[in-house]
Structure formats: C-alpha cells, structure tokens
Amino acid sequence: MKTILLGILTLTAAVSLAQTPAKKRPIAPQDIYRLQTINDPQVSPDGKLVAYVLSSVDTTKDKRNADLWMVSWDGQETVQLTSSPDGESRPRFSPDGKYLSFVSARQGATKGQLWLMDRRGGEAKKLTDLKTDLEDYEWAPDGKKIALVLRDPDYADSAKTKVRKPYVMDRYHFKADMKGYLERSAVHLYVFDMATKKIDTLTTGDYDETAPVWSPDGKQLAFVSNRTAEPDKNQNTDIYVMEARKGAALKQLTTWTGSDNDPVWSPDGKYIAYQRSTASGDFLMYDQPVLAVIGKDGGEPKLLSKALDRPVRNPRWSKDGQSIGVLVADDRQTYVGQYTLADGKFTKVAGGNRSYGSLEPVSAGSWLAGFSEPQLPGELYALENGTPRRLTHVSDAFLAPLELATVEGFTSKSKDGTSVSNILFKPANAPTNKKMPTIFFIHGGPVGQDEFSFDLYRQIMAAGGYAVVAVNYRGSNGRGLDFTKAIYADWGNKEVQDILGAADYVVEKGIADPERLGIGGWSYGGILTNYTIATDTRFKAAASGAGSSLQLAMYGIDQYTNQYENELGAPWKNPEKWLKLSYPFLKADRIKTPTMFMASEKDFNVPVAGSEQMYQALRSLGVPTQLIIYPGQFHGITTPSYLKDRAERYLNWFDKYLKAKTL
C-alpha cells in the first residue's frame, strides 16, 4: 500500500513539475539570431489566402534567408512554399489566383529572375533570363503579360580580366548608399509576354520610370518619373500614363513641382490615388505626404488628407472603390485610416498603442493588416470592421522563453516650453523606488518617430538592467508639419533641448540616476549623440553610430548634396552656417564623455569619415574612446553576427561606465 501511495505521489509531482511553466529569461544579444520577420504580404484575388515573405537567420552562413509562406484567411492553415537557400522575394498572385510569382537568384544566377509556381506547391519554373537588375514587376489584369522595371545593363566589368573599368561620372548626384558610385544608368519599363516569353521595351532614355500599375482594363500603365532638366537637383516626380505597347506616347497627369508617388488605380479605372508632397520645392526632407486623387485623364487633384496635418502612406482602394485606406503616423502610433471618395470624410479604422506597417484590401469592410506592439514583433492580421484577428504566429517561439521590458509613454517639457512625446522602457520586474542607470537611445532620420512597436535593441538594453528612453525630438514626424520643420538649417539645437528636457523629467521622477546617464544612437541618432555630449557633460557614456560632426567635411563625400545646397547653402556661400553646425568637432575639447564610435565600411549615407574624425579628436584629447568599423556593411547593418556584436558592444560600453559605481 505504501509503495502504491509513493508511486502516486511521485507521478503527481512529476505531472505538477511538467505543468509548471519554464522560468522566463531576459532577452539577450544572441536572440537576434532567433527573430523572424514578415514582409510584403499579398492577398489572393479570391481573398482566401495571404502570401508573405518570412526572413530568418542562417547562422552557418551568417546571413538572413527569405522564404515564401502562405496562410489561409481563416488563419487555420499555414504552409511553407519555398525553402531554397538562395532566398525569394516579391511574391505576387496571378490574376486568376492559381499561381504565385516571385523573384530569386536561384541556380547560380547573378541576377534575380522571375519564377512561377503553382500556389498549391511543387517546383517553380523560371520565366526570365535577365542580364540586368529586376527592380519591380506587376501582373497585367488578364494574366497574359507582366510589366517589368529593369535597370540599364552595366558593361563595366565585361572584360576577360574581370577588372572593372574606372568609374566615369558626370552627374550632380554621383553616389548613394548600397548603390555605390552612380554612372549614367536608368531604369525603364518593359512588358513580358507569358505565352512567347518575349520582352518588349516600353520606355528608353536618360530618365527613370518606376512604380508601374496597370489600369483595370489592362490597356494602360501608370508610373512615376522625374523628367525635369536635371533630376538629381530636385525631388520632383510626376504620375504618367501610357498604353502598354511599344512606341506608345507618354501622358503626364500631374504637374506639382514637388513629388507625386505611389499611384494606385481605382477599381473602375476612373481615378488614380497617390501620395503628394506638401511642399513644392526642390528639397523635401522635412515634408509629409498627403493623400491625393486625380482623374484618369488628369486635371486638378483632390487633396483628401491635407487638413489632417499628419503624414499618410500606403494608399489602397477598398474593393468597392468608394474609399481609400491609408496608414497614418500620429504621435508614437501608426494607425489605419480611411477616406470616402465622394465627400472626403475621414474615418479612423483601427489604432491603439501599436504600429501598423502594411495594408491590403480583401473584401467589403475587411483589410489585411500588419502591425507590431511593444512586446510583440510584427504579425499579420485580418482587420474586419476595425477589429484585428491574428493570422500569423511567427514570433510565438521567439517570445516563449523571454521576459520583456515594460513600455510606457511620457511627455516632457523642453526649456523653451515645447512638449515632447517619449517612450520609456523599464526592465521586467524593475525594483520600484530605485533610481536606475538610464540610456537615451535616439532615433535616426531625423524625420521619423519612435512608436509603440517592438524594438529589439531597446529591449536588449533594458534587459541589461537599464531604463531606456526614446525621445521624439523636434524634427520627428507624427506631430504635424511645423514640429518636423522646426530644425530646418538649425541642427543640434532644439533636438538637444528636447533630449535634455526628457533627461530632466526621468531624473525628477526618480526613474533615472543622474550620475549614471548614457546616450547613443545610429545615423541622425549618432549625430545627435555628438551634438548632445558637446553641449552637456551630464552623460557618463556615449555610443555614436554612423554619425558626423564636422559637417563641412561631409559635402561631396555623402549622398546629401542636394539637401545641403538647399537647406544650408553651398559651403563657399555660407561658411558660417557650416562651421556653426560643426560644433561637436570644432569644440571637441568640451566633450568629457567616454564615447564609442561605430561605423560601416561602405556607408555612403553617413560615411565612416564622420566617426573617424570624432574618434581621432577624442583620442588626441585623452577622452576614453573606441572606434568600431563593420567590414563590407552599408548604412544599415545586415550581417547577423555584426548585429549581435553591436548589441554586445553597446552593453559592454555602457556597463563599463554606468555600472562601475554601485549605489
């Protein structure tokens, strides 16, 4: 009897132990390898299926690999369609819904080719044998043709020796991040015939033609082009239409001297919705797009969202053609809005403390949407009458073992009285009534905003025992056009006031330990880190990534010449302005903060010279510093091991200077 009882007790204990959930752990840099991301969701014509790209890390090759997946609209069935190590992108359903096309450089191809597979699975067939880059493509409504956007061929390294010919440039804009040095190479429109596999040329010349969309009757293509005398010197683009046949004439629909982009035909073919810039000048950095609608034959457009004073993007017609859905950036959120075509009435469809990132029509009252939340990476949802229903669960395994930071918003006041919206990350189970070491991690842009979305790096920093503050300084969007334009030609002034105001707030509230404050960021976040530590010595450690300080030295070595000449004036015309904005370097002897500088070797956005100069200045001044350069990377680091390395270096650097004192 005792033996039986003991066995029962042992079994009960084992079952109880098995049912006890595993203790969660803090997120760590190595979790970067585990995070999967969803991109480019597409709805089948019958609305029953959603195809998407799922990107995962291949640790053995130290790169991300993208495969195609599909989920049913009811969310009950999920299937992986491809598993090639070469990766796939840009899935598109054929108009009859039977096939799925995609782009891949399979079978040793040096260029991405167009492939076609039965949506039910099976081997894909290669459709094209292109010798140049496929930039984009779009199915014709009858499924018999596909519009292609192809870049002019590059013959620079066709010699037998494989030694590239010298770069020969005579353009005003002669370099760009990821693209490198820019010679005379345009992108043009072509039509691929599914039956004959023949490609016909639609456009030629020195101008680019992009973003082609077929009219519902399949007779015309609308597209975007800048056909000004010198396109490199402005940001003008217009919407054009042409018959989809060789030799057809182009018709210009829009005449706004700013930008007109992202055209989408109405289902009845009578209208085109698009994004138009608010300003009409040559330089549009501090601008916000508005939703516009124009007739198929041109005329005066309706500016539906002009009064909203918020940037809108991703216009999509509802299935019945009576309204247009958009994504709206608004004070730490991106929500779904909808404009009625007949009267221009605006309705907020779905929002909350989250960030919507994609939107596609499905049926009356239904949309496919993607969003993320502070403790949930991006997933796809059925949005039915404004209510989200989750379709994908790609982040479940990633989140299962993790303990994440708590995230909340707060508002601070800058010394000039400006109200600034911020986000605070606090370690899970952070002790109350105890001041914490705090990192101000500043977003880039500057035009952009930190939102209530999943933020991997800030979560990792919080897991390291830090309160982490995201500051939506002036220059950010989501607060109206005037807020965004406030820093025009006045860098490192109001933004620094806003960062210091947020610092004052968290110190006053007893959240941050004033003796253990750190600051960092990438791109404009790195630039602002430099401005801030040259202004105020309260920060005990800094990590400046892809930044610059001697702004005068950036002219001609980065990709922003048009911005500089419009916003600041040419250096020889306005040297005082350039020198004023270069104060972190020219007054580097004011900096007392130990600073780690980080950069990407092949960055043409904010070149490595900006970090090298500041490192050398602090090294010469005897301020503790370090320079980290990531080989072969562009402005945005993509190699997984480098992303992990960067996160580890952030933690190690801040730990060294912010945790040395135990209070």
Side-chain angles (χ1 to χ4, degrees):
M1 183 69 180
K2 290 182 180 178
T3 304
I4 296 174
L5 182 59
L6 180 61
I8 293 173
L9 291 174
T10 303
L11 180 62
T12 303
V15 171
S16 177
L17 185 63
Q19 291 176 342
T20 302
K23 183 178 180 181
K24 291 183 180 290
R25 61 172 176 81
I27 192 171
Q30 60 265 28
D31 287 308
I32 287 172
Y33 292 146
R34 300 174 53 245
L35 181 63
Q36 297 179 300
T37 58
I38 291 177
N39 292 294
D40 206 1
Q42 300 291 317
V43 182
S44 63
D46 61 9
K48 295 180 180 179
L49 298 168
V50 177
Y52 57 93
V53 179
L54 184 64
S55 175
S56 308
V57 173
D58 183 337
T59 55
T60 59
K61 295 183 178 180
D62 199 10
K63 69 173 187 177
R64 296 196 76 88
N65 182 57
D67 290 308
L68 304 186
W69 288 67
M70 193 158 60
V71 61
S72 57
W73 183 246
D74 61 13
Q76 298 302 305
E77 185 178 2
T78 300
V79 60
Q80 182 173 356
L81 298 176
T82 67
S83 56
S84 164
D86 301 303
E88 294 80 31
S89 64
R90 284 175 271 184
R92 299 292 184 269
F93 284 98
S94 60
D96 61 9
K98 295 180 179 179
Y99 298 94
L100 197 67
S101 58
F102 60 89
V103 177
S104 180
R106 293 178 165 192
Q107 301 176 353
T110 58
K111 302 292 183 182
Q113 304 295 334
L114 204 56
W115 294 74
L116 189 69
M117 71 183 304
D118 192 304
R119 79 175 195 190
R120 296 168 296 184
E123 287 297 319
K125 297 179 180 180
K126 188 171 71 166
L127 294 179
T128 62
D129 189 20
L130 304 170
K131 307 301 181 185
T132 186
D133 294 320
L134 174 60
E135 305 276 333
D136 197 5
Y137 74 96
E138 176 93 359
W139 282 89
D142 62 6
K144 296 180 179 180
K145 295 180 179 180
I146 300 176
L148 306 178
V149 180
L150 302 177
R151 183 166 293 279
D152 288 342
D154 179 7
Y155 301 108
D157 56 359
S158 59
K160 293 180 180 179
T161 61
K162 298 298 181 183
V163 175
R164 196 201 190 280
K165 296 177 182 179
Y167 294 101
V168 179
M169 291 158 290
D170 58 6
R171 294 178 55 171
Y172 175 80
H173 179 55
F174 69 95
K175 64 194 306 187
D177 192 43
M178 300 181 70
K179 296 179 181 178
Y181 290 109
L182 304 177
E183 297 176 291
R184 294 285 177 177
S185 170
V187 292
H188 296 301
L189 304 182
Y190 300 78
V191 169
F192 176 81
D193 189 289
M194 290 291 292
T196 65
K197 304 299 187 286
K198 180 183 177 182
I199 297 178
D200 280 337
T201 302
L202 295 185
T203 62
T204 59
D206 294 332
Y207 302 107
D208 292 338
E209 294 89 26
T210 60
V213 284
W214 292 87
S215 59
D217 62 10
K219 295 180 179 180
Q220 290 184 303
L221 282 168
F223 60 91
V224 175
S225 186
N226 181 345
R227 305 184 93 78
T228 59
E230 194 164 2
D232 287 349
K233 285 193 171 183
N234 60 69
Q235 293 179 263
N236 171 251
T237 49
D238 282 298
I239 310 296
Y240 291 78
V241 294
M242 67 179 299
E243 289 185 33
R245 59 176 177 81
K246 190 174 182 178
L250 279 60
K251 179 180 180 179
Q252 183 176 346
L253 290 190
T254 63
T255 57
W256 184 242
T257 55
S259 68
D260 301 294
N261 292 300
D262 201 6
V264 190
W265 288 90
S266 62
D268 61 8
K270 294 181 179 180
Y271 302 97
I272 294 176
Y274 63 99
Q275 293 181 147
R276 187 179 113 161
S277 65
T278 301
S280 59
D282 292 337
F283 167 61
L284 302 171
M285 167 74 81
Y286 308 102
D287 195 71
Q288 59 186 23
V290 299
L291 174 63
V293 177
I294 195 168
K296 66 180 180 64
D297 297 318
E300 188 66 24
K302 293 181 180 180
L303 305 181
L304 295 182
S305 72
K306 188 173 183 180
L308 185 64
D309 194 24
R310 291 294 185 271
V312 302
R313 59 185 173 87
N314 202 82
R316 294 292 186 268
W317 289 90
S318 61
K319 283 292 185 177
D320 62 9
Q322 300 304 304
S323 60
I324 305 165
V326 289
L327 300 179
V328 183
D330 178 34
D331 197 8
R332 295 168 290 186
Q333 302 176 359
T334 293
Y335 65 81
V336 178
Q338 186 169 298
Y339 281 91
T340 304
L341 179 64
D343 57 12
K345 181 182 177 182
F346 176 71
T347 304
K348 186 174 181 178
V349 177
N353 282 345
R354 56 175 61 117
S355 178
Y356 280 86
S358 59
L359 186 69
E360 297 293 338
V362 179
S363 60
S366 297
W367 301 83
L368 170 69
F371 67 74
S372 82
E373 295 176 333
Q375 295 184 322
L376 178 67
E379 299 279 4
L380 297 180
Y381 294 79
L383 196 59
E384 297 162 318
N385 297 315
T387 302
R389 172 173 56 82
R390 190 167 168 181
L391 296 178
T392 60
H393 293 266
V394 303
S395 59
D396 286 359
F398 171 79
L399 294 172
L402 300 179
E403 185 177 56
L404 296 177
T406 60
V407 181
E408 60 190 70
F410 72 92
T411 302
S412 59
K413 290 279 188 181
S414 301
K415 70 177 184 180
D416 62 1
T418 300
S419 174
V420 177
S421 299
N422 314 288
I423 300 175
L424 173 65
F425 295 71
K426 295 173 71 174
N429 304 313
T432 57
N433 302 320
K434 183 177 180 181
K435 298 176 182 178
M436 290 179 287
T438 301
I439 299 170
F440 291 77
F441 202 71
I442 310 303
H443 74 73
V447 181
Q449 67 168 346
D450 285 312
E451 300 184 342
F452 290 109
S453 59
F454 186 76
D455 192 311
L456 182 60
Y457 270 76
R458 290 190 177 99
Q459 284 283 353
I460 290 173
M461 290 178 186
Y466 294 95
V468 185
V469 179
V471 182
N472 283 315
Y473 52 85
R474 275 169 283 186
S476 305
N477 62 16
R479 292 280 305 280
L481 194 55
D482 289 342
F483 192 89
T484 301
K485 293 167 62 177
I487 67 170
Y488 186 92
D490 187 23
W491 311 339
N493 178 17
K494 297 182 178 71
E495 315 99 296
V496 174
Q497 292 181 38
D498 297 342
I499 292 169
L500 297 180
D504 290 339
Y505 177 95
V506 292
V507 168
E508 178 186 342
K509 295 297 181 182
I511 298 166
D513 182 343
E515 297 302 317
R516 294 189 291 172
L517 301 180
I519 187 170
W522 195 266
S523 191
Y524 201 75
I527 293 171
L528 283 184
T529 295
N530 299 345
Y531 277 125
T532 304
I533 61 176
T535 302
D536 196 295
T537 58
R538 74 178 71 182
F539 297 95
K540 308 305 180 187
S544 172
S548 64
S549 292
L550 182 55
Q551 309 303 353
L552 185 61
M554 294 294 105
Y555 183 90
I557 73 166
D558 67 17
Q559 61 186 23
Y560 294 110
T561 302
N562 184 59
Q563 174 181 353
Y564 294 150
E565 294 192 357
N566 279 279
E567 186 175 355
L568 307 181
W572 51 90
K573 292 183 178 180
N574 197 10
E576 295 81 7
K577 171 64 72 174
W578 284 81
L579 293 175
K580 180 181 178 182
L581 299 185
S582 299
Y583 74 78
F585 181 83
L586 297 178
K587 297 179 180 179
D589 54 348
R590 295 181 177 181
I591 298 174
K592 308 303 178 188
T593 305
T595 305
M596 175 177 63
F597 296 97
M598 312 172 93
S600 296
E601 182 186 28
K602 293 186 176 181
D603 190 345
F604 274 5
N605 187 317
V606 186
V608 66
S611 295
E612 291 173 335
Q613 290 162 349
M614 286 302 292
Y615 164 75
Q616 189 64 68
L618 295 199
R619 187 69 181 81
S620 296
L621 289 164
V623 177
T625 187
Q626 196 175 64
L627 176 63
I628 313 298
I629 298 177
Y630 291 101
Q633 299 297 288
F634 301 112
H635 190 63
I637 292 177
T638 56
T639 300
S641 65
Y642 291 160
L643 293 169
K644 174 176 173 284
D645 178 270
R646 181 170 60 174
E648 291 171 338
R649 291 185 187 278
Y650 282 146
L651 290 175
N652 291 339
W653 187 261
F654 287 120
D655 285 353
K656 181 177 180 179
Y657 294 99
L658 304 185
K659 290 186 176 180
K661 298 177 183 178
T662 54
L663 302 180

